[in-house]
Amino acid sequence: MERKDTYYKKARKENYRSRASFKLLEIQSKFNIIYQNDHVLEFGSSPGGWTQVVQQFTEEPVIAVDITPMDPIKDVVFIKGDINNPGLKEKIIVAMNSLGINAISTVLSDAMVKTSGNYDRDHYNSYLLCDSVMRISIDLLSSGGNVVLKQFQGDSTIEFVDKWKNNFHFYKVTKPKASRQHSREVYIIFKDKV
Ligand SMILES: C[S@@+](CC[C@H](N)C(=O)[O-])C[C@H]1O[C@@H](n2cnc3c(N)ncnc32)[C@H](O)[C@@H]1O
């Protein structure tokens, strides 16, 4: 509870839309996943805390996707859509074309299924969501590109990493300090697409 209050207050004070911003700041400072001219595609963006952080590191427009509406942010193309909807990829490609973007440099997903309290079910649904993000993104991602995905950790997390790791030169599963201690969430980092 103490930690929640600390990051919540810090977010209010520093004008971030959510406490989640501090998780991405930690990941960025440790793994350098976003560079100045990167084209970032973000899933699970609402209310926009990560988007604000992304804009601190790249000057390029951001494409942000969420099933929940997001208040506008300058230079952000927001797509209201469901990661599980087969039509979403086409909408992302239309947005990329409208911005003159040929390839995505960095894919971020802080998307999380509504948890039910059933550990196995929540883990499995989160696994499926991450898998959908990867299937949408892998061929939009440039060579050398990076991916960060939130996953509710469980038995299949290793299987997930094994499934996708050969597409990248580096991978790591990490848990930022800003994640609530009792939470099962982890972040999977894939860097430097082959
Ligand atoms: C933890 S919040 C993201 C917080 C955000 N990164 C920030 O910093 O403000 C998780 C988000 O995932 C979104 N989400 C969950 N399932 C989704 C799906 N199937 N498709 C798109 N977005 C989804 C939710 O609507 C929610 O806004």
Side-chain angles (χ1 to χ4, degrees), residues 18 20 44 46-50 66-68 81-83 110-112 129 150:
S18 78
S46 294
W50 276 34
D66 204 299
I67 203 166
T68 307
D82 186 336
I83 291 163
D110 196 29
M112 184 50 91
L129 200 61
K150 173 156 77 182

Side-chain angles (χ1 to χ4, degrees), residues 79-94:
I79 300 169
K80 187 176 175 301
D82 186 336
I83 291 163
N84 297 312
N85 181 341
L88 178 61
K89 184 171 180 176
E90 193 47 43
K91 288 186 181 168
I92 293 169
I93 292 170
V94 168

Side-chain angles (χ1 to χ4, degrees), residues 13-138:
K13 201 170 154 202
E14 296 180 28
N15 285 321
Y16 286 120
R17 292 183 176 192
S18 78
R19 68 189 294 294
S21 297
F22 297 104
K23 300 179 204 172
L24 184 59
L25 283 165
E26 266 184 79
I27 290 168
Q28 171 68 4
S29 98
K30 212 164 165 185
F31 297 100
N32 277 313
I33 38 131
I34 307 161
Y35 291 88
Q36 200 179 3
N37 299 115
D38 275 1
H39 293 119
V40 175
L41 169 61
E42 188 194 349
F43 294 92
S45 60
S46 294
W50 276 34
T51 321
Q52 291 174 297
V53 172
V54 168
Q55 290 193 318
Q56 290 174 222
F57 294 96
T58 178
E59 292 166 0
E60 298 297 323
V62 178
I63 300 174
V65 177
D66 204 299
I67 203 166
T68 307
M70 182 165 96
D71 285 343
I73 298 181
K74 189 173 177 290
D75 295 328
V76 175
V77 174
F78 178 71
I79 300 169
K80 187 176 175 301
D82 186 336
I83 291 163
N84 297 312
N85 181 341
L88 178 61
K89 184 171 180 176
E90 193 47 43
K91 288 186 181 168
I92 293 169
I93 292 170
V94 168
M96 288 171 67
N97 289 341
S98 75
L99 294 167
I101 297 172
N102 295 325
I104 298 295
S105 334
T106 305
V107 171
L108 304 175
S109 176
D110 196 29
M112 184 50 91
V113 289
K114 264 211 171 99
T115 49
S116 68
N118 178 318
Y119 171 74
D120 287 336
R121 189 188 309 155
D122 291 342
H123 164 58
Y124 186 61
N125 287 337
S126 165
Y127 171 101
L128 291 179
L129 200 61
C130 287
D131 207 55
S132 296
V133 167
M134 288 305 279
R135 280 187 285 108
I136 293 169
S137 310
I138 195 71

Side-chain angles (χ1 to χ4, degrees), residues 158-180:
I158 305 249
E159 185 193 308
F160 178 85
V161 171
D162 281 346
K163 176 174 175 184
W164 292 102
K165 69 181 182 189
N166 291 338
N167 293 281
F168 299 88
H169 287 110
F170 171 89
Y171 64 93
K172 179 99 183 162
V173 179
T174 187
K175 186 173 173 81
K177 287 197 194 78
S179 282
R180 294 191 178 94

